[in-house]
Amino acid sequence: SPLAAEGIGLSAGSEALVAESAQEWVDGIVALYEDEARWNEMSARALAFVRRSFSFEEGVKRMRAALAVAGVYTD
């Protein structure tokens, strides 16, 4: 959904399909299924996004920042 994509920073059409209705989902899935090059490009961008955004190191960085805001962690 657009809200979910926005919430985690995905770019519609770049790293993921974003749809508001069931028909939009079907149309997007069919379009990807029928275009192997686009499928592979989106898959590669999605994997890079996940590695960049949700790596262990990024998780540690975000947890430290959250704990710092809560006054529990200091460098």
Side-chain angles (χ1 to χ4, degrees), residues 13-14 31-45:
S14 178
L32 278 179
Y33 183 77
E34 292 178 344
D35 186 343
E36 186 176 359
R38 184 173 174 218
W39 175 296
N40 288 328
E41 289 170 14
M42 187 175 286
S43 294
R45 285 191 299 268

Side-chain angles (χ1 to χ4, degrees), residues 6-7 9-11 19 23 25 27 33 39-40 42 48 52-53 55 57-58 60-61 66-70 72 75:
E6 181 182 341
L10 285 170
S11 298
Q23 189 59 53
W25 276 111
D27 293 344
Y33 183 77
W39 175 296
N40 288 328
M42 187 175 286
R52 180 177 63 250
S53 302
S55 66
E57 293 78 14
E58 184 64 21
V60 168
K61 183 174 127 184
L67 291 172
V69 168
V72 178
D75 271 334

Side-chain angles (χ1 to χ4, degrees), residues 7 9 17 22 26-29 36-37 40 62 64 66 71 74:
L17 295 176
V26 170
D27 293 344
I29 291 166
E36 186 176 359
N40 288 328
R62 290 180 185 200
R64 284 183 177 156
T74 58

